[in-house]
Amino acid sequence: MECTVSWTGATGARSGMGFVAETGSGHVIVMDGAPDAARPENGGLNLAPRPMETVLAGTGGCTAYDVVLILRRGRHDVRGCSVKLSADRADADPKVFTRIGMHFTVVGRGIPLQAVERAIQMSHDKYCSATIMLGKTAEITTSFDLVEADAPPQM
């Protein structure tokens, strides 16, 4: 896996702290720092997510991907999956994540609660590289809602 991250402020009048990541798969992610009123030269322009926000978002994508894939492999009729993440970081550098809460909402037809619980657990214990890695510094908790999808209209 490869990625090149380039500072976008190197040529601008106000340097800022914007960065563009070009991934090995050919995609682009823009990141920026928070504005710093006390030291504007150290702050960003608030034009994109913070780098640590992208880490949190990537973690959510990694585990949601697993949950959908595991449910599909179990031949469950999954029609939607989202995960809301909330995190706390250490006060001192390095400001690692110390707590991450994940609340999944799975939508489907006839999916047993145990199947969703098992899919989330399998993701966190075995498959999600991001969650397993961040679990080295953060307490990770999960919860979920299972929403029954509306039946298709009868013709």
Side-chain angles (χ1 to χ4, degrees), residues 39-53:
R39 298 187 66 194
E41 68 278 7
N42 293 341
L45 303 175
N46 198 32
L47 298 175
R50 314 291 175 262
M52 287 300 285
E53 288 176 323

Side-chain angles (χ1 to χ4, degrees), residues 72-120:
R72 281 183 169 176
R73 285 184 176 164
R75 302 199 192 290
H76 297 290
D77 186 2
V78 60
R79 298 185 184 188
C81 179
S82 64
V83 59
K84 181 176 175 121
L85 296 94
S86 61
D88 294 327
R89 293 177 65 191
D91 292 330
D93 290 328
K95 295 178 181 173
V96 298
F97 289 120
T98 57
R99 184 202 60 82
I100 301 172
M102 299 184 178
H103 183 78
F104 294 80
T105 301
V106 176
V107 180
R109 301 268 305 146
I111 303 174
L113 285 171
Q114 298 84 355
V116 175
E117 189 171 43
R118 179 179 171 272
I120 292 169

Side-chain angles (χ1 to χ4, degrees), residues 1 3 9 20 26 57 95 97 117 125 147 154:
M1 187 177 295
C3 184
V20 174
K95 295 178 181 173
F97 289 120
E117 189 171 43
D125 290 347
V147 178
Q154 298 295 322

